């Protein structure tokens, strides 16, 4: 699939939640995960990640992540770096 401009979609998921500790990626409550959204490229996912991370900066246990979904959907495609 491609976007309207012929550019290949490189889907990225942005999500976050409160961690049990600062030393591990173990969420306190999976029901409280914040699914920010799925984005068509790394740049837009990074913008969303930065906005959410900045809005929760006062909570040291809150973390947001970017998942490179395109790598999971097509692991054979090694041509794209993001």
């Amino acid at each position: 699939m491609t976007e309207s401009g012929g550019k290949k979609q490189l889907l990225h998921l942005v999500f976050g939640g409160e961690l049990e500790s600062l030393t591990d990626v173990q969420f306190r409550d999976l029901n409280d995960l914040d699914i920010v959204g799925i984005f068509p490229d790394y740049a837009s996912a990074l913008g969303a990640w930065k906005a959410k991370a900045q809005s929760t900066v006062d909570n040291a246990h809150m973390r947001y992540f970017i998942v490179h979904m395109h790598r999971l959907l097509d692991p054979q495609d090694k041509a794209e770096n993001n």
Side-chain angles (χ1 to χ4, degrees):
M1 281 189 120
T2 59
E3 290 181 30
S4 58
K7 184 178 167 186
K8 185 174 180 181
Q9 288 181 343
L10 298 175
L11 299 178
H12 293 77
L13 166 67
V14 178
F15 78 101
E18 197 164 9
L19 302 178
E20 288 183 357
S21 76
L22 298 177
T23 59
D24 196 15
V25 180
Q26 193 75 17
F27 295 100
R28 285 192 181 167
D29 186 355
L30 293 177
N31 292 320
D32 285 338
L33 287 181
D34 180 12
I35 308 300
V36 179
I38 298 174
F39 300 88
D41 55 51
Y42 182 76
S44 56
L46 183 61
W49 173 85
K50 284 182 180 182
K52 289 302 263 187
Q54 184 63 38
S55 72
T56 60
V57 72
D58 291 336
N59 182 351
H61 285 90
M62 193 69 167
R63 291 286 194 279
Y64 281 87
F65 301 90
I66 298 175
V67 177
H68 299 263
M69 291 179 62
H70 63 94
R71 292 180 184 167
L72 300 172
L73 295 170
D74 188 6
Q76 299 300 323
D77 185 10
K78 303 216 187 307
E80 303 295 336
N81 294 327
N82 290 324

